[in-house]
Amino acid sequence: MPNETPDGAALDAARWAALIEAVALRQDRNAFAALFAYFAPRIKTFMLRSGASAQSADELAQEALLAVWSKATLFDPTSAGAAAWIFTIARNLRIDELRRQKRTPTHDTSEVDLEFQVDTGPQPDAGLAAAQLESRVRGALAGLPEEQLQVIELSFFEEKAHAEIAQALHLPLGTVKSRLRLAMNRLRSLLGDFS
Amino acid sequence: MTISHHPPDELLTAFAAGTLDLGQHVALATHLAGCSHCRTMVRAMEQVGGAVLGRLPPAEMSASAFAAVQARLGERAAAVPAPAVQDLSEQGFRDIAGLPPFVRQYGDSSWKWIAPKVHFRPIELPRPSETRVFLLRSKPGTKMIEHTHTGFEMTCVLSGSFAHDGGHFGPGDFDFGDGSDDHEVVIDSADDCICLVAMQGDLKLQGMIGRLLQPLIRM
């Protein structure tokens, strides 16, 4: 069952949020299984593309889902979308893992989390609710040409971002930069009213 | 505070993607601490990260993965308490405003004189980073080093202001030098100008201050 992934399109953002809340409120194992089935295999891909071995990627995906389980009560649907929240968990685990590889492990996993808390205020950006932000970003992404989307996607993996993206896509560096800029400008214009 | 110079989009994206090294991350976080505009952009890029994650093709999990995780759910059943928004403001760098809280855990040190009117104070990162981070305090009227980067330099103004041919930079502003330009920086505030600087690569400094600064910055 965990290896069977449900159709992604069927699980929309609201449903993921509801599943996380079911885990938070009732420790609902069926809800957790659904989250695992969808996200664990994708987090594994995320880790593989970030350079992890198959075994390590599998373990990191497991850790990420364990963190989803144990941190579900911290999920605040008014400040983050469900997929974005899970993304940040996977991202922070990836950072932690890279430090382990360099033999400079963090003292505990919350260290990376703390590094992303740039502000002490409880509602630093109350101006833009998560649901609005999420739907605007979704709309913006839907409107992006595939070539811009590709460049944005690759930005999430490559440390030496632009040069390597250019290489992977067989494009001149300048083209990669201009595509990323076009995509970001579009995002900015859609978010502009709020910032 | 009016912020008019922001990090370029690719740096905000890299921050959200988690691909910056710690020194770069500190510089971005310092700007973000004071800039709600860029915080919104980072949140938007985290939403993009969620969308990217959701679009990835699934990789097959190992046969035992789900059972292994299920077996461990019990040990995590007790919900972890919300991470205490640790009050780190009483730790390092007490005299410096505008730093993100986590930086206050890092090793502090005293100001070191490095040149007339210029003091330098390293921020000791808890792990190796290709990018070094330090504070630089310059007296009003200081004409700073004219230099050519061979790497990049990120500067966040914490107090005071400076100007160079790329504009005027006050508190909260972020100046990104990618190695292509020569700067002649003039401190134009009435009080000291304190900046957080993240720097990669070697500096080729010119002039007396440069000759003094260079060995120190190489550390």
Side-chain angles (χ1 to χ4, degrees):
Chain A
M1 180 221 159
N3 291 333
E4 292 167 21
T5 43
D7 181 7
L11 283 172
D12 66 1
R15 186 165 164 227
W16 289 327
L19 290 172
I20 295 169
E21 290 191 298
V23 170
L25 294 172
R26 301 186 295 278
Q27 297 180 3
D28 184 329
R29 292 192 177 219
N30 290 329
F32 179 73
L35 288 166
F36 188 98
Y38 189 79
F39 283 103
R42 287 171 171 80
I43 293 171
K44 184 170 178 177
T45 301
F46 177 76
M47 297 300 177
L48 286 169
R49 289 204 185 168
S50 305
S53 68
Q55 191 193 339
S56 167
D58 203 278
E59 287 167 5
L60 287 165
Q62 292 180 38
E63 284 301 320
L65 269 294
L66 270 172
V68 167
W69 172 265
S70 63
K71 293 182 176 180
T73 51
L74 304 179
F75 171 64
D76 175 3
T78 64
S79 85
W85 183 70
I86 293 175
F87 162 73
T88 60
I89 287 176
R91 172 195 68 191
N92 293 4
L93 273 171
R94 177 176 66 178
I95 293 171
D96 197 51
E97 173 63 16
L98 287 171
R99 290 176 182 180
R100 269 174 222 289
Q101 285 170 13
K102 289 178 185 163
R103 299 179 189 281
T104 58
T106 45
H107 300 305
D108 61 75
T109 49
S110 68
E111 187 177 325
V112 181
D113 295 345
L114 200 59
E115 288 164 16
F116 279 91
Q117 280 182 33
V118 295
D119 192 86
T120 44
Q123 273 292 354
D125 307 297
L128 188 46
Q132 282 175 301
L133 189 65
E134 192 172 32
S135 75
R136 289 201 165 220
V137 168
R138 202 169 28 235
L141 290 177
L144 288 182
E146 185 63 27
E147 55 178 38
Q148 288 177 26
L149 211 51
Q150 232 179 355
V151 171
I152 286 211
E153 274 191 28
L154 285 169
S155 306
F156 280 82
F157 294 100
E158 310 292 342
E159 196 150 350
K160 285 175 179 138
H162 298 146
E164 288 180 24
I165 292 170
Q167 212 171 11
L169 298 179
H170 305 292
L171 291 171
L173 186 59
T175 307
V176 168
K177 287 193 174 187
S178 66
R179 283 185 187 174
L180 186 59
R181 201 169 300 127
L182 282 170
M184 295 291 288
N185 283 345
R186 187 172 170 86
L187 273 173
R188 268 192 194 286
S189 69
L190 282 156
L191 297 168
D193 309 347
F194 293 91
S195 42
Chain B
M1 127 173 105
T2 309
I3 299 175
S4 41
H5 299 277
H6 302 276
D9 286 337
E10 54 265 35
L11 285 181
L12 293 173
T13 307
F15 180 92
T19 56
L20 296 176
D21 72 28
L22 185 55
Q24 298 168 319
H25 181 94
V26 166
L28 266 288
T30 301
H31 175 77
L32 289 165
C35 184
S36 65
H37 175 84
C38 286
R39 283 202 299 274
T40 300
M41 204 57 200
V42 165
R43 281 180 60 212
M45 290 314 292
E46 288 175 345
Q47 299 289 340
V48 173
V52 165
L53 182 63
R55 276 169 48 105
L56 288 177
E60 194 176 331
M61 293 295 289
S62 63
S64 59
F66 186 65
V69 168
Q70 249 189 334
R72 291 174 63 192
L73 294 184
E75 68 190 61
R76 305 280 190 112
V80 287
V85 175
Q86 294 180 38
D87 187 7
L88 300 165
S89 58
E90 292 304 310
Q91 297 191 27
F93 307 98
R94 291 180 194 206
D95 55 323
I96 306 293
L99 293 175
F102 69 90
V103 173
R104 298 186 184 279
Q105 316 165 90
Y106 294 167
D108 196 356
S109 49
S110 52
W111 290 108
K112 294 168 179 60
W113 183 95
I114 48 164
K117 299 182 179 178
V118 184
H119 286 74
F120 162 86
R121 181 163 157 189
I123 296 175
E124 288 165 32
L125 300 178
R127 60 195 70 259
S129 165
E130 279 182 45
T131 306
R132 296 152 291 198
V133 187
F134 54 89
L135 301 174
L136 205 59
R137 189 185 74 196
S138 317
K139 293 237 178 273
T142 308
K143 214 171 176 184
M144 290 287 288
I145 321 104
E146 199 182 337
H147 56 244
T148 309
H149 310 280
T150 56
F152 65 79
E153 182 182 316
M154 302 174 188
T155 304
C156 300
V157 182
L158 298 171
S159 62
S161 62
F162 65 81
H164 59 62
D165 49 15
H168 181 257
F169 296 78
D173 279 329
F174 187 95
D175 187 18
F176 182 59
D178 65 359
S180 57
D181 25 50
D182 276 5
H183 286 326
E184 194 172 33
V185 177
V186 180
I187 307 299
D188 63 357
S189 49
D191 298 314
D192 285 359
C193 178
I194 298 178
C195 295
L196 179 143
V197 182
M199 189 184 282
Q200 202 175 58
D202 288 333
L203 271 184
K204 287 176 187 147
L205 303 168
Q206 286 135 31
M208 187 185 73
I209 295 175
R211 283 196 298 275
L212 288 169
L213 191 56
Q214 194 157 17
L216 284 163
I217 287 176
R218 283 226 177 109
M219 286 189 281

